[in-house]
Amino acid sequence: MSVTLYKFGPTMGLPDPSPFCFKLETYLRMAGVEYVVASDKRKKAPTGKRPFIVDENGKVVADSGLIIAGLEAKNGNPVDGKLTLSERAESLAFQRMMEEHLYWALVYFRWIDPAGVKNWTPFLKDVLGMPGPIVTLVKPFAQRLVRNQLGGHGLGRHSPKTIQDLAIADIRALAHWLGQKEWGFGDQPTIFDASLSAHVGEIVSPPWDSPLAVETRKHRNLVSHFERMMTRYYPELREPQESTSGES
Ligand SMILES: N[C@@H](CCC(=O)N[C@@H](CS)C(=O)NCC(=O)O)C(=O)O
C-alpha cells in the first residue's frame, strides 16, 4: 500500500513550486516510501494547505513536517536516525529559519514584487491547475490572500529592501554553515538537505532573476548542493547527461 501525495505539480524544472511539497516528496524518495501523486488539484486538507497525504489507512495528514515526523517514527527513523540530539536540534533550527522566514521572502518576491509577479504569472496555470482565463480571474484573490499572510507574518510590513536584506542574511548563514560539506550532517543526506535543496531550488530555478536568486547563485556550494540532490533524487527532471552520472 502506498501513500497518496497531494501537491501542486511539476513546474520550472522542479517537482513542485512549493518548497514544502518539494521537501516532502524528496523525503519520500530518501526514505523509500512508496507513494502515488494525486491528480485532484482541488481537494483540500483541513489546514487548507498543501502538501498533505492520505496514508495507507485512509487518514489525511497535513503539513510536511508532521507528515515526515510521522513516517520517520513509523519506519524507524530511516533518514534522520543517525543524527545526534544536538544535530537534530541544529537541523530543526535551520529548517525553521528556511520554512518560517526565508520562505516568506520567497513568497513576497513571487507574488507581490512587481517584477516577480510579471514573470511568475505564466506559471500559475500549472500551479493552480486552472485554465488561463480562470487564472486571470483568481489571481487578484490569491494575491490578496498572500498579502494578508505576509502582513500577518510581519515580514510583509517591511520595505522591499528590508525583506531582501533579511532573506539575504538567511542565505548567507546557510552558505557559511554548509561550507564545503557535501551534506548538512554526515555522509548521507538528511531531512535538512531535503529542506535546503527545496528552498535553494525554488530560489534559483525560475527562469527570471530575483534579488534572492542573484544572491544565492553567488554561493556555489548552495547551488551545487541543490544540483547534487536533484541528480540523486530526481534524475527524471535533470538533463540527459546528468541523469546518467551514476549517483543513485
Ligand atoms: N507548514 C506547512 C506549510 C505549507 C504551505 O504553506 N503550503 C502553501 C504552499 S507553499 C499553501 O498550500 N498555501 C495555500 C494557502 O495558503 O492557501 C508545511 O510544512 O506543509
Side-chain angles (χ1 to χ4, degrees), residues 61-72:
V61 189
D63 191 289
S64 63
L66 294 176
I67 298 165
I68 290 173
L71 291 169
E72 277 283 282

Side-chain angles (χ1 to χ4, degrees), residues 91-165:
S91 171
L92 181 65
F94 273 121
Q95 286 176 64
R96 292 284 192 261
M97 182 179 87
M98 291 186 268
E99 297 175 12
E100 307 297 339
H101 188 258
L102 178 59
Y103 164 73
W104 288 107
L106 175 71
V107 166
Y108 172 83
F109 281 104
R110 264 188 203 170
W111 287 91
I112 308 296
D113 178 66
V117 176
K118 181 165 100 5
N119 288 297
W120 171 235
T121 301
F123 293 93
L124 283 177
K125 203 160 53 67
D126 296 339
V127 176
L128 302 175
M130 293 170 179
I134 307 278
V135 167
T136 311
L137 289 175
V138 163
K139 195 175 104 184
F141 294 100
Q143 272 187 304
R144 192 183 314 151
L145 173 78
V146 169
R147 214 180 272 283
N148 287 340
Q149 290 175 332
L150 279 161
H153 176 278
L155 193 70
R157 296 172 190 230
H158 289 293
S159 69
K161 174 73 172 74
T162 302
I163 296 174
Q164 176 180 324
D165 289 347

Side-chain angles (χ1 to χ4, degrees), residues 106 109 113 116 203-204 208-217:
L106 175 71
F109 281 104
D113 178 66
I203 291 171
V204 301
W208 69 87
D209 266 344
S210 71
L212 305 191
V214 170
E215 174 66 26
T216 306
R217 286 196 202 103

Side-chain angles (χ1 to χ4, degrees), residues 46-103:
T47 57
K49 302 215 176 209
R50 288 190 175 207
F52 64 95
I53 61 163
V54 177
D55 74 10
E56 296 94 333
N57 304 314
K59 188 174 152 215
V60 175
V61 189
D63 191 289
S64 63
L66 294 176
I67 298 165
I68 290 173
L71 291 169
E72 277 283 282
K74 179 169 162 257
N75 298 322
N77 294 299
V79 175
D80 270 11
K82 287 199 184 134
L83 300 191
T84 64
L85 286 179
S86 153
E87 286 172 333
R88 284 182 204 204
E90 253 179 281
S91 171
L92 181 65
F94 273 121
Q95 286 176 64
R96 292 284 192 261
M97 182 179 87
M98 291 186 268
E99 297 175 12
E100 307 297 339
H101 188 258
L102 178 59
Y103 164 73

